[in-house]
């Protein structure tokens, strides 16, 4: 059903792509940028005349500025489905292709080609996978973009503890069959092939290792207690430099640490996806994804796109952006730990009122990590709030996937709209923008607290 939809969409778009001025707009995270990279390559192969823009969000202001003519073809990836009501005038004027996986609004028009797996009841998948299928139906040569599709899927957390299921698993199997990807079991640590082992430990937040995640000095202590040298002469050792015995010793110690707070520690292991045909430091799918995400979210879209498309001259620039981004996330997590008075524990949600203390760039990621790591109560949703540069408040909502029946996207869109803002996203992760002076209202409504301090609905 979904495949038939994508095939139909690609067939309907092919002529438009070849004859119109194609304008691709995509989201700034790793899923959006991998989507844009796939489309770029596919458009080059169609010999299309095109431009690509990467945007933080598809807001009403940006849509108002689009002003397309009938010579244009607009392709929106990793957003668009949730903004369809705002796009109706644009769609009236010219053809629009939406390749998205966010919760879709109901809207149909002869000018609109709308591909979203949720429309056909398909399980969750990333926008990069949607774009990959679309590209493949345009031209089968685009099958070689499977690695970029998987980088986006991993970065968008379309996996479960590093395991892919359903439709994405089928795409992964294709990549394996083509000799572009390999899958082996291993320790789920950040920067397995490239980072000093103490940094791998300190920068790994899922699985969360109490006392070690977020602290380089504790990670060094942990390794020295185990008798694992961090250096080989003057060279820092990475996870792949450790002997089998050392890896086992470290895994056992990590399990012990995990069992202090969890019943089951087996989630320290998962599938390691390795790419072939890329430089050594870009062979780990997840690490490549976090690199793209860091570059995208910090406004360095150009180098993110270039490195995905194989221009490795920007590698050093990408890594230095990544270091800074990781440090910003670690600071945000530590801020939540150390500022309990700014964390509102309301009946229906926990709210992180960070104001200017956590960058809007990482408030969503920090919310995800503090929820999954148990730094805050995993039994209710969390909402992170941070000031934006343009004088508003970025709100990010997250709910543990184990908590059924709470639709964060519905909550964020309804509340933000009622406060004069806007929002959208997924069932378990969503975001929005609200005016700066509505902070207290937002906390009150999502927290389920009435003005007099009574609980709503209980
Ligand atoms: Mn996405």
């Amino acid at each position: 059903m979904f495949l038939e939809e994508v095939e139909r969409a690609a067939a309907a778009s092919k002529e438009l792509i070849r004859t119109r001025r194609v304008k691709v707009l995509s989201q700034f995270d790793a899923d959006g940028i991998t989507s844009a990279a796939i489309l770029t390559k596919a458009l080059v192969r169609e010999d299309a005349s095109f431009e690509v823009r990467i945007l933080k969000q598809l807001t009403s202001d940006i849509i108002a500025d689009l002003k397309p003519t009938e010579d244009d073809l607009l392709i929106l990836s990793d957003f668009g489905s949730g903004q369809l009501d705002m796009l109706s005038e644009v769609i009236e004027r010219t053809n629009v292709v939406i390749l998205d996986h966010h919760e879709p609004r109901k809207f149909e028009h002869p000018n609109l080609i709308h591909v979203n797996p949720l429309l056909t009841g398909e399980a969750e998948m990333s926008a990069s996978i949607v774009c990959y299928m679309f590209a493949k139906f345009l031209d089968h040569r685009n099958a070689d973009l499977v690695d970029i599709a998987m980088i986006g899927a991993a970065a968008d957390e379309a996996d479960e503890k590093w395991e892919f299921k359903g439709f994405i698993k089928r795409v992964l199997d294709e990549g394996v069959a083509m000799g572009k990807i390999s899958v082996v079991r291993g320790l789920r640590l950040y920067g397995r092939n490239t980072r000093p082992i103490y940094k791998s430990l300190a920068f790994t937040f899922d699985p969360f290792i109490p006392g070690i995640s977020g602290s380089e000095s504790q990670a060094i202590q942990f390794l020295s207690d185990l008798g694992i040298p961090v250096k080989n002469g003057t060279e820092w050792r990475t996870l792949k430099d450790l002997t089998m015995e050392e890896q086992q010793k470290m895994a056992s110690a990590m399990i012990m640490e995990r069992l202090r707070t969890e019943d089951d520690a087996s989630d320290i292991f998962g599938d390691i996806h390795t790419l072939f045909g890329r430089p050594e430091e870009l062979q780990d799918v997840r690490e490549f994804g976090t690199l793209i995400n860091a570059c995208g979210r910090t406004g360095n879209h150009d180098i993110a796109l270039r490195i995905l498309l194989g221009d490795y001259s920007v590698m050093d620039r990408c890594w230095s952006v990544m270091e800074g981004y990781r440090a910003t996330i670690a600071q945000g997590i530590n801020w939540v730990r150390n500022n309990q008075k700014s964390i509102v524990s309301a009946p229906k949600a926990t709210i992180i009122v960070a104001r200017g203390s956590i960058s809007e760039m990482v408030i969503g990621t920090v919310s995800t990590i503090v929820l999954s790591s148990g730094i805050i109560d995993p039994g209710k949703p969390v909402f992170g709030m941070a000031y934006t540069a343009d004088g508003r408040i970025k709100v990010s909502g997250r709910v543990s996937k184990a908590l059924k029946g709470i639709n964060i996207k519905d909550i964020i869109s309804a509340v933000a709209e009622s406060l004069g803002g806007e929002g959208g996203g997924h069932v378990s992760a969503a975001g929005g923008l609200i005016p700066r002076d509505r902070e207290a209202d937002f906390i009150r409504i999502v927290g389920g607290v009435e003005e007099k301090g009574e609980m709503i609905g209980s």
Side-chain angles (χ1 to χ4, degrees):
M1 191 67 168
F2 170 67
L3 278 182
E4 283 165 30
E5 284 299 311
V6 190
E7 185 171 18
R8 196 173 316 157
S13 308
K14 193 151 178 118
E15 189 58 23
L16 294 169
I17 283 172
R18 291 184 163 177
T19 52
R20 304 283 185 89
R21 279 195 312 249
V22 185
K23 295 182 172 165
V24 177
L25 271 57
S26 196
Q27 181 134 16
F28 76 151
D29 66 9
D31 189 26
I33 293 183
T34 50
S35 297
I38 290 167
L39 293 171
T40 298
K41 197 73 200 268
L43 291 168
V44 168
R45 283 176 170 160
E46 294 302 318
D47 199 22
S49 135
F50 71 98
E51 61 180 61
V52 178
R53 276 174 74 193
I54 305 292
L55 301 168
K56 196 195 281 187
Q57 271 176 317
L58 189 61
T59 59
S60 47
D61 297 349
I62 287 164
I63 293 169
D65 280 343
L66 287 175
K67 300 194 180 70
T69 72
E70 56 188 15
D71 296 328
D72 295 330
L73 170 68
L74 223 60
I75 302 182
L76 310 177
S77 54
D78 202 21
F79 49 37
S81 289
Q83 291 82 14
L84 268 170
D85 47 348
M86 297 194 277
L87 285 163
S88 60
E89 264 179 61
V90 169
I91 295 168
E92 207 57 62
R93 266 191 248 179
T94 193
N95 296 81
V96 177
V97 178
I98 295 178
L99 305 166
D100 195 5
H101 66 137
H102 292 90
E103 292 275 313
R105 303 225 172 192
K106 292 252 175 303
F107 185 85
E108 285 181 28
H109 192 283
N111 282 352
L112 174 66
I113 297 169
H114 189 187
V115 182
N116 186 320
L118 300 176
L119 288 173
T120 44
E122 194 69 43
E124 273 183 58
M125 71 181 75
S126 59
S128 66
I129 298 284
V130 177
C131 289
Y132 170 68
M133 295 313 300
F134 178 83
K136 237 176 51 162
F137 277 118
L138 276 181
D139 184 333
H140 199 75
R141 281 181 297 169
N142 293 321
D144 66 351
L145 306 175
V146 64
D147 57 341
I148 304 182
M150 290 309 301
I151 294 166
D156 220 45
E157 289 166 29
D159 57 337
E160 237 162 81
K161 309 279 181 202
W162 294 18
E163 255 172 78
F164 292 102
K165 305 217 164 82
F167 195 87
I168 306 180
K169 174 75 166 53
R170 281 167 54 192
V171 173
L172 171 64
D173 290 345
E174 267 177 47
V176 172
M178 279 187 270
K180 296 204 68 133
I181 305 172
S182 79
V183 187
V184 294
R185 295 292 285 179
L187 271 175
R188 292 170 58 224
L189 283 186
Y190 156 83
R192 310 170 39 85
N193 301 332
T194 53
R195 305 285 107 180
I197 182 70
Y198 76 90
K199 285 205 179 195
S200 289
L201 285 164
F203 283 164
T204 295
F205 296 102
D206 171 28
F208 193 81
I209 316 153
I212 296 167
S213 293
S215 168
E216 292 185 18
S217 57
Q218 295 282 359
I220 291 175
Q221 187 61 47
F222 175 74
L223 290 166
S224 108
D225 289 348
L226 292 173
I228 298 176
V230 290
K231 276 189 174 180
N232 213 347
T234 54
E235 291 279 298
W236 291 108
R237 301 174 79 204
T238 68
L239 184 62
K240 74 168 188 325
D241 298 328
L242 299 192
T243 64
M244 214 30 132
E245 195 194 335
E246 285 174 325
Q247 288 201 31
Q248 273 160 7
K249 209 195 289 182
M250 199 175 80
S252 310
M254 282 172 67
I255 290 172
M256 295 300 286
E257 291 296 323
R258 280 286 281 175
L259 288 176
R260 293 211 243 157
T261 54
E262 305 285 321
D263 301 333
D264 177 14
S266 61
D267 69 348
I268 68 164
F269 299 103
D271 286 344
I272 313 299
H273 301 94
T274 306
L275 303 175
F276 296 110
R278 296 278 189 175
E280 195 185 6
E281 48 270 73
L282 298 175
Q283 284 174 1
D284 185 84
V285 166
R286 274 173 192 79
E287 203 166 352
F288 204 159
T290 49
L291 185 72
I292 298 304
N293 196 46
C295 292
R297 287 179 176 275
T298 52
N300 297 284
H301 322 126
D302 51 340
I303 54 174
L305 261 179
R306 283 168 64 182
I307 201 164
L308 278 171
L309 294 171
D311 173 5
Y312 303 119
S313 70
V314 294
M315 185 111 81
D316 288 349
R317 281 166 64 198
C318 288
W319 283 117
S320 79
V321 167
M322 168 89 151
E323 287 287 315
Y325 181 73
R326 279 271 156 183
T328 309
I329 294 172
Q331 280 159 16
I333 292 161
N334 288 329
W335 187 88
V336 174
R337 273 217 196 90
N338 300 329
N339 288 276
Q340 289 301 317
K341 63 182 189 306
S342 300
I343 315 302
V344 178
S345 181
K348 290 194 169 172
T350 307
I351 301 116
I352 302 166
V353 190
R355 297 195 177 143
S357 298
I358 298 179
S359 159
E360 58 157 317
M361 198 167 74
V362 300
I363 188 71
T365 305
V366 168
S367 301
T368 303
I369 293 168
V370 295
L371 185 70
S372 66
S373 62
I375 292 175
I376 58 159
D377 180 2
K380 348 179 236 206
V382 60
F383 292 90
M385 304 178 76
Y387 286 170
T388 65
D390 67 357
R392 292 188 283 181
I393 298 176
K394 164 84 186 278
V395 292
S396 288
R398 299 288 187 271
V399 63
S400 150
K401 280 185 182 164
L403 221 60
K404 303 279 179 218
I406 299 177
N407 186 324
I408 286 290
K409 178 250 160 194
D410 284 351
I411 297 173
I412 287 245
S413 337
V415 177
E417 277 163 35
S418 78
L419 298 175
E422 50 196 88
H426 305 283
V427 170
S428 59
L433 290 165
I434 59 167
R436 183 88 43 107
D437 59 2
R438 306 310 293 271
E439 179 186 278
D441 297 312
F442 185 86
I443 297 171
R444 183 172 53 77
I445 302 171
V446 300
V449 188
E450 277 203 53
E451 233 143 344
K452 299 174 206 106
E454 290 165 31
M455 294 178 199
I456 290 169
S458 55

